[in-house]
């Protein structure tokens, strides 16, 4: 069996007799992964690419290519990965996995790992600023209608295909499948999945297994809301000093306090395992 087909099976993608082109695309993707430098830290994969390199790769991605996607793990994401096998599988299926956390980057530096910071919010802004061109088709899976209205108003030169799934799509197989089919039929150059994790990850993974889905998906969290102003991002000085999490907590304490408080100890445990593992390898 070809290596590409084997890898699609490992990722949970169904294989059919008509999947030759998808298998070729998967093989090419694997080749690109081997060329890129990838490391595993705190149990998560991270591609060691600068923001400019990532942007160039996204710009060069052929629109007609079989669907593939980008994830941007932060602290909450990494902690959930450590206890969620399904989420680990979704991340394993991503074309690129980029660090979206200054605390994670700081911990990596303590172990002499230089982890580039490429946040989903910055990447979203970069794409709309310098890559997405007039006439391009863009699909968004949005958290609410206001985001859709503001995106269409801010970028009238683009063709938007938008869907706002109902709340709780994670446990609603019909709604989840409706999102997958909507994106697959739109066949846009870029797909922005902005309904949070793991919902966005589930949709992205199913699209990567869909025989007709094309384009490039980005799981960007609140990236679209920051872009159009329905949510305010932290001031630059807070972003640069690693305090963006504090800004988000102050603006939405009811929703976020549990996430941040209960991530501290698991993150410390993951880091201690990294230290012990390194000591064992060099002992």
């Amino acid at each position: 069996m070809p290596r590409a087909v084997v890898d699609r099976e490992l990722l949970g993608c169904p294989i059919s007799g008509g999947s030759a082109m998808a298998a070729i695309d998967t093989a090419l993707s694997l080749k690109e992964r081997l060329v890129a430098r990838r490391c595993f830290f705190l149990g998560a994969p991270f591609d060691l690419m600068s923001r400019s390199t990532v942007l160039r790769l996204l710009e060069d991605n052929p629109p007609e290519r079989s669907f593939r996607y980008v994830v941007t793990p932060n602290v909450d994401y990494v902690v959930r990965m450590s206890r969620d096998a399904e989420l680990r599988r979704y991340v394993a299926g991503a074309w690129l996995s980029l660090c979206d956390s200054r605390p994670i980057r700081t911990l990596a530096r303590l172990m002499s790992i230089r982890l580039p910071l490429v946040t989903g919010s910055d990447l979203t802004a970069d794409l709309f600023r310098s890559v997405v061109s007039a006439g391009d088709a863009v699909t968004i899976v949005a958290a609410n209608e206001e985001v859709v209205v503001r995106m269409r108003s801010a970028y009238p030169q683009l063709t938007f295909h938008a869907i706002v799934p109902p709340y709780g799509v994670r446990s609603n197989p019909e709604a989840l499948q409706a999102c997958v089919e909507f994106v697959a039929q739109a066949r846009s150059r870029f797909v922005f999945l902005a309904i949070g994790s793991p919902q966005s990850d589930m949709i992205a993974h199913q699209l990567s297994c869909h025989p007709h889905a094309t384009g490039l998906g980005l799981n960007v969290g609140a990236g679209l809301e920051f872009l159009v102003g329905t949510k305010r991002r932290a001031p630059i000085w807070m972003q640069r000093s690693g305090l963006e999490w504090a800004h988000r907590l102050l603006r939405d304490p009811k929703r976020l306090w549990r996430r941040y408080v209960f991530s501290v100890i698991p993150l410390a445990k993951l880091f201690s395992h990294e230290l012990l593992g390194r000591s064992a390898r060099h002992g």
Side-chain angles (χ1 to χ4, degrees):
M1 181 180 292
R3 171 68 182 276
V5 175
V6 172
D7 284 298
R8 284 178 66 81
E9 287 185 335
L10 287 174
L11 297 177
C13 301
I15 301 298
S16 66
S19 62
M21 185 56 68
I24 291 171
D25 276 349
T26 306
L28 291 172
S29 174
L30 289 169
K31 182 178 180 181
E32 289 164 2
R33 282 189 186 179
L34 292 174
V35 173
R37 293 177 59 207
R38 171 169 284 196
C39 77
F40 283 79
F41 181 64
L42 304 178
F46 293 104
D47 292 301
L48 306 182
M49 298 179 184
S50 68
R51 189 164 141 191
S52 60
T53 298
V54 171
L55 201 60
R56 193 161 56 247
L57 282 174
L58 302 189
E59 184 175 14
D60 292 342
N61 187 71
E64 68 280 1
R65 182 168 195 163
S66 294
F67 185 89
R68 52 188 182 174
Y69 60 100
V70 179
V71 295
T72 52
N74 56 18
V75 169
D76 173 65
Y77 202 106
V78 166
V79 168
R80 285 188 292 112
M81 273 185 64
S82 68
R83 51 194 179 216
D84 188 337
E86 281 296 301
L87 185 55
R88 290 196 296 273
R89 187 159 66 93
Y90 302 151
V91 175
W95 175 48
L96 293 178
S97 180
L98 309 168
C99 178
D100 190 348
S101 168
R102 289 182 185 273
I104 289 177
R105 185 180 67 166
T106 299
L107 292 176
R109 283 184 173 177
L110 294 176
M111 298 185 66
S112 301
I113 301 171
R114 300 199 65 82
L115 208 57
L117 183 72
V118 186
T119 72
S121 299
D122 287 332
L123 201 54
T124 300
D126 287 342
L127 283 167
F128 279 97
R129 184 184 305 115
S130 60
V131 175
V132 182
S133 306
D136 276 347
V138 175
T139 295
I140 55 178
V141 180
N144 55 69
E145 290 287 352
E146 185 180 5
V147 171
V148 176
V149 171
R150 291 204 183 192
M151 288 295 293
R152 286 178 169 148
S153 175
Y155 303 97
Q157 75 279 20
L158 303 178
T159 300
F160 282 103
H161 304 283
I163 183 171
V164 179
Y167 182 77
V169 67
R170 177 184 183 183
S171 55
N172 186 335
E174 293 79 13
L176 189 73
Q177 189 59 36
C179 290
V180 172
E181 293 301 330
F182 180 89
V183 174
Q185 291 175 22
R187 300 182 69 83
S188 294
R189 181 184 180 192
F190 292 106
V191 178
F192 293 88
L193 302 164
I195 56 172
S197 176
Q199 297 82 212
S200 292
D201 308 291
M202 296 168 74
I203 293 170
H205 182 263
Q206 288 195 29
L207 282 164
S208 70
C209 301
H210 196 290
H212 305 302
T214 60
L216 186 61
L218 296 102
N219 298 6
V220 297
L224 295 182
E225 293 170 289
F226 292 142
L227 188 66
V228 298
T230 57
K231 283 187 178 180
R232 289 182 59 189
R233 197 171 178 190
I236 296 297
W237 71 266
M238 293 189 79
Q239 295 179 36
R240 291 176 176 170
S241 59
L243 294 173
E244 189 165 10
W245 65 270
H247 179 269
R248 292 187 181 184
L249 180 60
L250 288 172
R251 295 192 67 86
D252 194 359
K254 186 176 180 180
R255 186 175 68 90
L256 294 178
W257 77 268
R258 288 180 180 274
R259 175 191 297 183
Y260 290 150
V261 168
F262 291 108
S263 290
V264 173
I265 294 177
L267 182 66
K269 288 181 178 179
L270 289 172
F271 185 61
S272 68
H273 292 159
E274 285 282 346
L275 290 173
L276 291 172
R278 182 173 182 175
S279 299
R281 288 193 296 272
H282 295 86

